[in-house]
Amino acid sequence: MHRLIPLLSALSLSGPALAAEIWVTNEKDDTISVIDIGTLEVVRTIPTGERPRGITFSKDHSRVYICASDSDTVQVMDPETGEILHDLPSGEDPEQFVLHPNDRHLYIANEDDAVTTVVDTETRKVIAQINVGIEPEGMAVSPDGKIAITTSETTNMAHWIDTETRELFANTLVDARPRHAEFTAGGSELWVSSEIGGTITVFDTATQTEKGKIEFEVKGVHPDRVQPVGFEFTTDEKTAFVALGPSNHVAVVNAETLEVEDYILVGRRVWHMAFSPDKSLLFTTNGVSGDVTVIDVAKREAIKSIKVGRFPWGAALRP
Amino acid sequence: MHRLGLFIAGLALTAQAAFADLNVPVVYLRQEVDRPPTLSNLDPIPDDLGEMGARLGLADNMTTGSFLGQTYELDTISVPVGGDLLEAARSALAQSPFLILDAPASDQTRIADLPEAQSALLFNASSADNALRDKDCRANLLHTLPSYQMRSDALMQFARTKRWDALTLIAGSRPDDMAFADALRNSAAKFGMKIAAEKTWAFDADMRRNAAQEVPLFTQDLGKYDLMLIADEAQDFGRYIAYNTWYPRPVAGSEGLVPTAWAPVVEQWGAAQLQSRFQDLANRAMRPRDYAAWAAMRSIGEAVTRTTSADPATLRAFMLSDGFELAGFKGRPLSYRNWNGQLRQPIPLVTPRALVAQAPLEGYLHQRTELDTLGLDAPESACAAFR
């Protein structure tokens, strides 16, 4: 309890944060668990299509997009009511996606199909399909919207897509089983995590060349089990939090020196994560233990675990 | 087709000049064998067993290769029973230095010893024979199928964890059954357990009709035990043992809880994607030998991608180095043991409906990697060809 008090007072300072929510997709429950950031409790459970994984909100947060992988569709939901407004044609087995800064085009990784599908969320039409490597998964788009990235888990590449022509302009090898990609440093760097390789590769966006690699070492855990998946950056982009899968830890990485500063013990097989609005709290989805760990970002400590559905996978903030 | 157009246009724009165009031909060489008759014909063995795994590996390699200017080919040569395997091997080696072998252990060493094979790289994707990884090993022969010893060690780790220390064994009398039974005995000793009683299965009666009468009597004198082991690699009689034993205990080995390279119930670690790709290609579930052939093909692909070479010596050196990591959908990177060429891999322990556990189990430690608690370790191996 003593930990909760400073936390709550910190939250009350941030005002509207009290109403903010973290939305978590439960891959094997076909539901979303909605966590109230004020109370750190699940306040709603919303049914979805089959095997929900990727989740993201529209810019104004009036709609939420959900990859319902086994329903072969992207669902569009009204977050107020939890009602499915309509489905988007997504291509087969959509796993993960990213919304272009234009708030209109969704870039979707079709895991079973070796394709990236681009969907116009307004016309609800597929506007392009781009052949990529086997088992596309990680998706990112540069802040200026000019580059989209798909990582392919079995081909072990980051595929660089020109969003104007919707064609590949580079394919760069990374270590085995790339899972997640994010642009950082104003878009000048691309980070790609490799689950089986156990690394994050940092690329220079301008030249698409490797400029660094992050390796992890968790005490008492064999390197084979240290498997980076999702990661997120703090507001100043100086620190990254990296989910390390079955090692059950989140790494805290100095984004400038690429050195790991800390490891935080969380739930079992940690996948993805989302921040609270002021980025003071971080919520990680722990697939095997079926819960979400809440991390105090300043203290780099786990402060609570919250039971959600079976196999929580994706996480998104609704401010 | 419309996708292909886009795709080729996309490639033309990509700057891939750094990668030389490479073509990598591979031959899947099968020695057909007479399969022993089995009591049940519920589970026929597919004619394309193994080969379809190599085909899927080819498709995976081709996709990666398309971004790097690398292409792959796969030919299958199938030698009938009594046919001239060595002649077929020579003509395969004239086509390609990379062979995936689907043949009994003794045939594999004959192929590996051919003068034409000395600079080739061969993959054993079909034989679990321990000796092939031990005194009969060959420097040009890598093994993607786990050995009997890896499977039996996996099962014994599980039994030990459960404290099922009192074991009993029923083994068939065919060479494969005896080889697996030997491995089970070795593993029991390795993990400090004992097989207290053993019997050899030698029934002529039709167990489909009278297992309920015969098996209780057959197992009555085995006494008390925690776990009954079955060595029945052709899946002849084993299926009739469970639930019919005199003393009611679980069954494991070739039936019941089965340690295996691969099974349809493996779905974690992205395996569901591999399973569905295989199902789409082959119209059936992926079996252990399919997985082994897939892993052989993917090992070639991974090594070609990372070295941008199609030279067998270069690829072999890379595969046996610390730099090689194959993502094999078993939760951790797979690599080759540099003392006998065996692909290190976790071993799922499965029932027909679920993955029960995956070895190495927690608590079995090793100074190098826990994966080396499964199968022959360097100090035990009599393999000299890799030194």
Side-chain angles (χ1 to χ4, degrees), chain A residues 49-221:
Chain A
E50 287 175 44
R51 204 176 179 201
R53 291 195 277 181
I55 178 167
T56 196
F57 283 87
S58 63
K59 238 181 206 170
D60 64 359
H61 295 88
S62 66
R63 282 161 298 161
V64 57
Y65 301 102
I66 304 145
C67 285
S69 299
D70 284 358
S71 302
D72 294 330
T73 190
V74 166
Q75 298 185 307
V76 185
M77 185 185 279
D78 176 348
E80 281 300 323
T81 62
E83 213 177 301
I84 302 291
L85 302 172
H86 54 265
D87 288 349
L88 291 173
S90 66
E92 226 181 290
D93 195 23
E95 174 164 10
Q96 180 68 288
F97 51 20
V98 65
L99 187 61
H100 191 275
N102 66 16
D103 200 28
R104 182 164 171 179
H105 294 152
L106 267 182
Y107 283 72
I108 305 169
N110 298 116
E111 189 174 31
D112 258 2
D113 227 13
V115 164
T116 296
T117 299
V118 189
V119 176
D120 185 328
T121 57
E122 281 176 24
T123 62
R124 302 179 199 172
K125 291 215 165 86
V126 171
I127 53 176
Q129 287 204 306
I130 302 145
N131 282 282
V132 292
I134 308 254
E135 289 171 50
E137 165 142 354
M139 296 296 308
V141 64
S142 60
D144 62 9
K146 286 184 179 162
I147 303 170
I149 299 288
T150 300
T151 68
S152 50
E153 290 174 296
T154 290
T155 298
N156 301 326
M157 281 181 180
H159 304 280
W160 302 65
I161 300 166
D162 180 332
T163 56
E164 290 259 315
T165 61
R166 301 196 182 97
E167 281 169 0
L168 301 176
F169 68 91
N171 302 286
T172 47
L173 278 170
V174 292
D175 288 330
R177 240 181 134 63
R179 294 298 297 258
H180 191 76
E182 294 275 347
F183 283 93
T184 186
S188 67
E189 281 181 8
L190 173 75
W191 288 32
V192 178
S193 63
S194 293
E195 183 181 30
I196 291 291
T199 58
I200 286 182
T201 305
V202 178
F203 287 99
D204 173 54
T205 307
T207 58
Q208 302 100 46
T209 51
E210 187 178 319
K211 62 184 274 192
K213 199 175 262 192
I214 304 164
E215 293 183 356
F216 303 91
E217 198 175 327
V218 182
K219 207 177 166 194
V221 181

Side-chain angles (χ1 to χ4, degrees), chain B residues 156-176:
Chain B
M156 289 304 164
Q157 286 189 357
F158 184 79
R160 191 78 184 92
T161 302
K162 289 285 194 187
R163 303 189 179 214
W164 294 344
D165 293 347
L167 306 169
T168 188
L169 168 67
I170 299 177
S173 50
R174 296 185 179 118
D176 286 354

